[in-house]
Amino acid sequence: MLLHIPQVLSPEQVAFCRERLASASWADGRITAGHQSVKAKDNEQLPESDPVAIELGALVRAALKNNDNYFAAALPRVVFPPLFNRYRGGQAFGFHIDNAIRYDRTGHLVQPVRTDLSATLFLNAPEDYDGGELIIEDTYGTQQIKLPAGDMVLYPGTSLHRVTPVTRGERLASFFWIQSLVRDDGDRRLLFELDISIRRLTQATPDHPALVQLTGVYHNLLRRWAEV
């Protein structure tokens, strides 16, 4: 499932992130690339242990805790600490698939993270730069993603994807991975659609007797599929 989640960060939070990133100590983005993706990756990135990355990563994670659609879609068990990258001057990232397992080298996570889901949170407006589209190959074909500042796209970690060259301006983003309580993408999709339906029904007819049954179905499916 590929999902656009709007307004994960407020305009004020986006402005704060950009202010902090403007004076950050950027490094070669290949520091976190795998054996194959290192050949295709050309961007800049904040090291995982950089104080600005840790500060802004905490801000992103706090914002995610208040986002119902994110929780319903991801069903997060473990979230890899958010990272930050920058593309400019023709930089790009060729087609690749993210590593199946990520290790947090800062020591904040003691266990490795299985990358069930990948997330990209855009930190500047589409009109600020040319190129920089996130191209994702999924079940329904090729998806081209370039979102407003503060919006995020969530997609399966198994997806083949790339970032097109940035030929004007710069593209700033946060990216991270999620190990879900529910490993299978199809099962997560069914649970997400059921969750959305229950919320809509609750708003429209809060006393409808079917709500108890539907909520029970949701939790019994989650109980069946969840890995805890």
Side-chain angles (χ1 to χ4, degrees), residues 101-112:
I101 305 294
R102 304 294 308 197
Y103 296 89
D104 176 22
R105 291 178 286 189
T106 67
H108 288 88
L109 295 178
V110 295
Q111 75 270 43

Side-chain angles (χ1 to χ4, degrees), residues 40-43 87-94 132 162-166:
K41 189 174 186 179
D42 178 19
N43 65 9
Y87 292 82
R88 58 182 180 170
Q91 290 180 316
F93 198 162
R162 68 185 178 99
V163 176
T164 65
V166 173

Side-chain angles (χ1 to χ4, degrees), residues 119-134:
T120 297
L121 173 60
F122 290 78
L123 295 175
N124 52 347
E127 58 269 23
D128 289 347
Y129 57 100
D130 292 336
E133 291 86 359
L134 174 62

